[in-house]
């Protein structure tokens, strides 16, 4: 790298020599990748697996599923029977068990038996709640996976953009040194030096903002992945362009068949239908079967009395229809209709998300291709032309700076566009309910520099 005193022999570097210096600097310094990392980049799958295995909310939902499964078992069980021990018809005058024929010691029990179908409905209702909890868990995993992918893509983008800005500052530093030395020997202008210094400090501000953003995103990625928040994030995979030729009808079909949130709502709808049937069964009585055994003492003259057995069936009388049964039915119907409306809302939101994501992906792909195939090559060619024009005095120094900054900013914008496409794809996967198969990078795409860790060091 050229030092502060960029001289050839004892002479100052002239604009003519700078024509050969700056292109070489752009190639050797700006577009070169950092040294290879000591360890391979950590893929997004590492963080996805860590999140799916260790995120606390998932463990909580698993316990909820276990709870609902056990509740389904309990829902099918009969109520505990009632047992009793009693004394019957004891005359209070003598408190004798032998004086009256109806006096005896009684033991008995009773069992409540619901109307046929009620227990089955109760079991199926709680079973649907367990099924809904399982789909809710799958949806949490689906959304968590998308969040991890978006955080990963954003962090990778910020790191590559940070590297571009560092390279910009390195180029500007050399340009400012050259313009300063040319001004010192009377071959440049002070305004050129000042313009270069201002741009150099502006790059410092941008770099500070990106470095802070990188720290924030590193903490977020670690937190989502259930890793220590302050743990350093090593090198990440570089993001590349990918095919966006998804069919909207196929994606909607995947959503309808695989989106866990939709399946959870469908379980709610089925539960609502069962709850309506269960509420309608309140018109039917429940039965209670009871039996008892009475032991009687012998008569005062020694004559034995036979023991006695009793049995009885009683039932509930569902007569409070307007005050109890019908409001219960209407409540269950409202719950079922609410679930149906929620499904329609989710369908509309998913259709909007799928259509919007596809439109965004198409736009991002087109813009990224425009940067890669047209804007960046043309801007680089403009640098060469402006250097030659600056050499013969046809353009001034600010125009040269503008072309240089445009080229480097196009590189930064290209990285941001590719990062946005990956984040949008993660949102699309969340909308349809599963991951979408990737495709190889687009042939001829620009090689991106390796990302760096949160300390700004290559890994």
């Amino acid at each position: 790298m050229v030092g502060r005193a960029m001289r050839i022999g004892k002479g100052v570097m002239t604009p003519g020599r700078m024509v050969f210096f700056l292109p070489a600097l752009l190639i050797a310094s700006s577009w070169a990748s950092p040294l290879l990392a000591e360890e391979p980049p950590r893929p997004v799958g590492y963080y996805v697996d860590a999140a799916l295995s260790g995120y606390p909310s998932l463990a909580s939902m698993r316990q909820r599923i276990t709870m609902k499964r056990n509740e389904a078992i309990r829902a099918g069980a009969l109520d505990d029977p009632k047992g009793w021990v009693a004394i019957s018809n004891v005359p209070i005058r003598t408190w004798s068990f032998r004086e009256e024929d109806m006096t005896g010691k009684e033991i008995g029990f009773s069992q409540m038996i619901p109307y046929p179908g009620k227990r089955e409905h109760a079991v199926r209702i709680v079973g649907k709640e367990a099924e809904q909890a399982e789909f809710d868990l799958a949806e949490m995993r689906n959304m968590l996976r998308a969040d991890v992918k978006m955080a990963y893509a954003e962090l990778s983008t910020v790191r590559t953009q940070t590297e571009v800005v560092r390279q910009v500052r390195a180029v500007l530093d050399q340009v400012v040194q050259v313009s300063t030395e040319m001004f010192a020997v009377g071959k440049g202008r002070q305004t050129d030096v000042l313009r270069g210094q201002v741009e150099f400090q502006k790059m410092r501000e941008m770099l500070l903002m990106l470095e802070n953003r990188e720290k924030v995103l590193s903490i977020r990625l670690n937190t989502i992945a259930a890793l220590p928040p302050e743990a350093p994030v090593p090198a990440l995979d570089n993001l590349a362009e990918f095919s966006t030729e998804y069919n909207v009808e196929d994606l909607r079909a995947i959503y309808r068949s695989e989106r866990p949130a939709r399946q959870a709502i469908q379980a709610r709808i089925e539960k609502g239908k069962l709850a309506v049937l269960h509420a309608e069964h309140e018109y039917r009585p429940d039965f209670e079967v009871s039996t008892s055994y009475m032991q009687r003492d012998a008569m005062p003259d020694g004559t034995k009395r036979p023991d006695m057995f009793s049995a009885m069936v009683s039932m509930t009388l569902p007569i409070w229809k307007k005050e109890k049964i019908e409001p219960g039915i209407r409540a269950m119907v409202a719950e079922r209709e609410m679930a149906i409306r929620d499904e329609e809302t989710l369908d509309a939101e998913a259709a909007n998300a799928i259509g919007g994501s596809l439109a965004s992906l198409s736009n991002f792909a087109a813009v990224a291709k425009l940067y890669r195939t047209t804007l960046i090559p043309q801007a680089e060619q403009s640098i060469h032309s402006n250097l030659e024009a600056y050499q013969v005095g046809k353009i001034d120094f600010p125009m040269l700076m503008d072309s240089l900054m445009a080229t480097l900013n196009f590189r930064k914008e290209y990285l941001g566009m590719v990062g946005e496409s990956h984040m949008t794809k993660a949102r699309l996967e969340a909308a349809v309910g599963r991951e979408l198969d990737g495709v190889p990078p687009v042939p001829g795409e620009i090689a991106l520099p390796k990302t760096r860790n949160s300390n700004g060091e290559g890994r």
Side-chain angles (χ1 to χ4, degrees):
M1 185 64 73
V2 182
R4 170 171 288 279
M6 301 179 64
R7 301 174 180 273
I8 304 300
K10 295 183 179 181
V12 179
M13 179 173 287
T14 64
R17 294 183 180 273
M18 192 165 66
V19 170
F20 300 100
F21 164 71
L22 281 179
L25 186 63
L26 290 174
I27 296 173
S29 175
S30 181
W31 310 139
S33 298
L35 296 177
L36 294 178
E38 297 178 359
E39 61 184 70
R42 182 172 289 176
V44 66
Y46 172 88
Y47 292 97
V48 171
D49 293 340
L52 297 183
S53 62
Y55 201 69
S57 295
L58 299 180
S60 174
M61 184 56 69
R62 294 188 191 100
Q63 295 303 317
R64 178 176 176 80
I65 294 172
T66 301
M67 178 187 71
K68 288 299 181 181
R69 287 174 177 170
N70 285 278
E71 284 184 2
I73 297 175
R74 295 181 66 244
L78 292 171
D79 292 340
D80 292 336
K82 298 176 183 178
W84 67 88
V85 176
I87 55 177
S88 302
N89 304 311
V90 179
I92 61 175
R93 180 176 56 83
T94 60
W95 297 101
S96 172
F97 286 90
R98 307 175 64 184
E99 183 177 342
E100 298 292 338
D101 287 344
M102 296 303 297
T103 301
K105 308 178 187 71
E106 184 178 8
I107 183 172
F109 79 94
S110 65
Q111 175 67 59
M112 180 65 73
I113 301 176
Y115 190 86
K118 287 188 175 181
R119 290 171 58 202
E120 179 185 358
H121 288 152
V123 171
R124 293 176 64 188
I125 287 173
V126 182
K128 287 298 178 180
E129 291 178 352
E131 183 179 339
Q132 177 186 344
E134 292 174 353
F135 287 129
D136 287 339
L137 173 61
E139 179 66 11
M140 289 178 64
R141 292 169 60 88
N142 175 50
M143 301 305 295
L144 183 61
R145 181 177 61 243
D147 287 342
V148 170
K149 287 187 173 184
M150 287 188 287
Y152 185 97
E154 188 172 3
L155 178 57
S156 179
T157 299
V158 168
R159 284 186 173 182
T160 51
Q161 288 180 331
T162 302
E163 180 61 26
V164 167
V165 174
R166 289 195 181 101
Q167 294 169 353
V168 171
R169 295 186 75 241
V171 173
L172 284 178
D173 186 37
Q174 300 300 327
V175 172
V176 170
Q177 291 178 26
V178 171
S179 62
T180 300
E181 293 182 1
M182 291 180 63
F183 172 69
V185 297
K187 295 186 177 181
R189 297 181 301 175
Q190 186 177 14
T191 55
D192 297 344
V193 177
L194 295 176
R195 167 69 186 277
Q197 291 174 345
V198 169
E199 294 292 343
F200 183 79
Q201 295 304 323
K202 287 171 63 178
M203 288 296 102
R204 174 59 179 165
E205 177 189 9
M206 185 181 300
L207 186 61
L208 289 173
M209 294 178 63
L210 287 171
E211 289 174 346
N212 178 72
R213 183 63 179 162
E214 179 186 352
K215 293 178 182 178
V216 172
L217 290 173
S218 297
I219 293 174
R220 172 172 171 74
L221 180 60
N222 282 331
T223 302
I224 297 176
L227 300 173
E230 300 297 335
V233 178
L236 305 179
D237 282 335
N238 294 323
L239 304 180
E241 295 178 62
F242 57 89
S243 174
T244 59
E245 296 179 357
Y246 301 117
N247 184 278
V248 63
E249 294 301 328
D250 292 342
L251 294 177
R252 289 176 179 173
I254 294 173
Y255 157 76
R256 287 190 292 269
S257 62
E258 298 189 30
R259 177 72 184 271
R262 191 172 192 271
Q263 294 171 324
I265 294 178
Q266 289 176 336
R268 280 179 54 200
I269 295 174
E270 293 299 321
K271 171 195 166 186
K273 294 178 180 178
L274 293 171
V276 172
L277 293 176
H278 189 64
E280 290 174 347
H281 265 61
E282 293 300 318
Y283 285 117
R284 307 292 189 269
D286 295 329
F287 302 95
E288 185 174 13
V289 178
S290 59
T291 61
S292 64
Y293 180 86
M294 180 183 291
Q295 182 270 326
R296 297 193 300 172
D297 292 346
M299 298 176 64
D301 61 1
T303 303
K304 292 186 177 180
R305 295 188 180 98
D307 294 343
M308 303 180 71
F309 173 81
S310 301
M312 180 177 63
V313 176
S314 60
M315 67 182 67
T316 61
L317 301 176
I319 62 175
W320 308 115
K321 298 180 180 180
K322 292 184 178 181
E323 296 83 356
K324 181 179 179 180
I325 299 177
E326 293 178 359
I329 295 175
R330 290 195 298 268
M332 295 301 101
V333 170
E335 182 176 353
R336 181 193 62 193
E337 293 301 313
M338 182 173 61
I340 293 174
R341 300 290 89 78
D342 288 343
E343 182 184 35
E344 293 173 353
T345 300
L346 183 63
D347 288 347
E349 291 176 350
N352 177 66
I354 292 172
S357 296
L358 289 180
S360 297
L361 284 175
S362 178
N363 178 69
F364 292 148
V367 175
K369 183 178 180 180
L370 178 64
Y371 274 118
R372 172 171 52 83
T373 61
T374 304
L375 295 179
I376 293 176
Q378 288 180 355
E380 290 176 346
Q381 183 62 35
S382 176
I383 290 180
H384 291 275
S385 300
N386 288 342
L387 283 172
E388 295 176 358
Y390 180 71
Q391 177 186 6
V392 296
K394 291 184 178 180
I395 65 171
D396 56 9
F397 184 77
M399 293 185 65
L400 174 62
M401 288 290 296
D402 290 342
S403 62
L404 177 62
M405 294 298 297
T407 302
L408 297 174
N409 285 334
F410 285 160
R411 290 276 179 167
K412 182 172 172 289
E413 292 296 327
Y414 171 79
L415 296 174
M417 201 61 59
V418 174
E420 284 292 336
S421 65
H422 280 265
M423 288 185 279
T424 302
K425 181 182 178 183
R427 297 187 189 97
L428 179 60
E429 291 177 341
V432 301
R434 71 168 173 83
E435 292 182 286
L436 301 174
D437 295 334
V439 295
V442 178
E445 69 172 278
I446 297 175
L448 305 180
K450 293 287 185 181
T451 56
R452 295 172 176 263
N453 62 21
S454 58
N455 297 323
E457 301 173 348
R459 295 296 296 270

